[in-house]
Amino acid sequence: MLRDIKVLELEGLAPSSYCGMMLADYGAEVILINRAQDGEINMGSVDKNIMNRGKKSIILDLKDKKHRKIFLKMAKEADVLIDPFRPGILEKLGIG
């Protein structure tokens, strides 16, 4: 149904994870953006949480300029962004 839809999901609380899971269940390509630990950028593991089924994952530190550049490139190619943060956080990070 949604196989031509590309979704970026920022790691957050259950409502955003559930939304991403449902979109993945219906065929969308969902890429979960996990929070970086110690400034690393690499592919993350999504198999620990049932709500991450069917998702791809990447770890980015959105406070890092290089990582923000990667995120913004990915966002240009995405159809949907799932934002779990309160208003103003994405703007504070420089990606809003």
Side-chain angles (χ1 to χ4, degrees), residues 26-82:
Y26 280 99
E29 178 186 5
V30 179
I31 302 171
L32 177 61
I33 310 294
N34 289 300
R35 293 183 188 115
Q37 306 271 325
D38 301 322
E40 289 191 31
I41 176 173
N42 56 44
M43 297 308 290
S45 174
V46 295
D47 59 347
K48 295 177 184 174
N49 183 336
I50 189 69
M51 285 195 276
N52 291 337
R53 68 177 180 232
K55 299 177 187 178
K56 296 177 182 176
S57 176
I58 187 169
I59 297 172
L60 293 175
D61 179 359
L62 296 177
K63 294 179 182 177
D64 181 88
K65 186 176 180 177
K66 180 176 96 172
H67 294 204
R68 277 195 311 270
K69 188 175 178 180
I70 293 167
F71 172 81
L72 291 171
K73 183 178 178 185
M74 293 173 70
K76 284 182 183 179
E77 299 171 2
D79 300 297
V80 176
L81 172 64
I82 300 174

